[in-house]
Amino acid sequence: MARAALRGHWKELKDRLDPELVIDELFQNEVIHFSDLEDIRCEKTRHKKAHELLQKMMIRSDDEIKQFAEVLSRTEGIKDVGLRLLQDLTSATARDAYLEN
């Protein structure tokens, strides 16, 4: 569910995300790990760094993807995408809870 929401915003995130603005907070919150930091930071361009970060997020849990969206929603220049991603995640969670009952 969270991966599908993330995939839905992939292109816009890849085009606009500056990973250097969010990776420290993601690392502090243990959403990404030290090896992830090395992989992301070794890339040459912002687009490649963004792509690497998004690939790392695709293998994370739903909760970690939600934390990622929360960080994005507080980050200048990408807040709008983070808020839309959070909204998609919240809608999907509510829909799944409704369907389970």
Side-chain angles (χ1 to χ4, degrees):
M1 152 190 73
R3 285 171 194 79
L6 183 59
R7 209 173 292 116
H9 296 279
W10 186 280
K11 182 178 178 351
E12 189 171 17
L13 284 169
K14 186 177 174 199
D15 289 344
R16 294 180 48 200
L17 176 62
D18 182 352
E20 292 297 330
L21 297 177
V22 298
I23 58 176
D24 289 333
E25 186 173 349
L26 294 172
F27 179 69
Q28 290 170 359
N29 293 338
E30 298 181 1
V31 175
I32 60 174
H33 309 288
F34 186 73
S35 62
D36 300 328
L37 283 176
E38 290 176 333
D39 292 345
I40 294 164
R41 286 196 164 136
C42 79
E43 293 296 342
K44 302 282 187 240
T45 67
R46 184 188 58 78
H47 276 87
K48 287 184 179 182
K49 287 180 182 183
H51 183 77
E52 183 70 25
L53 176 58
L54 292 171
Q55 284 185 318
K56 300 281 184 194
M57 293 311 303
M58 288 300 285
I59 59 172
R60 299 297 188 245
S61 70
D62 288 358
D63 287 339
E64 290 169 323
I65 292 173
K66 185 176 180 191
Q67 286 180 319
F68 174 64
E70 289 169 352
V71 170
L72 293 177
S73 72
R74 296 189 300 269
T75 303
E76 231 19 79
I78 197 90
K79 285 181 182 180
D80 58 324
V81 181
L83 290 170
R84 285 196 306 272
L85 178 56
L86 263 178
Q87 184 178 24
D88 289 353
L89 292 170
T90 304
S91 298
T93 302
R95 183 178 56 247
D96 289 349
Y98 175 78
L99 293 173
E100 285 178 7
N101 293 329

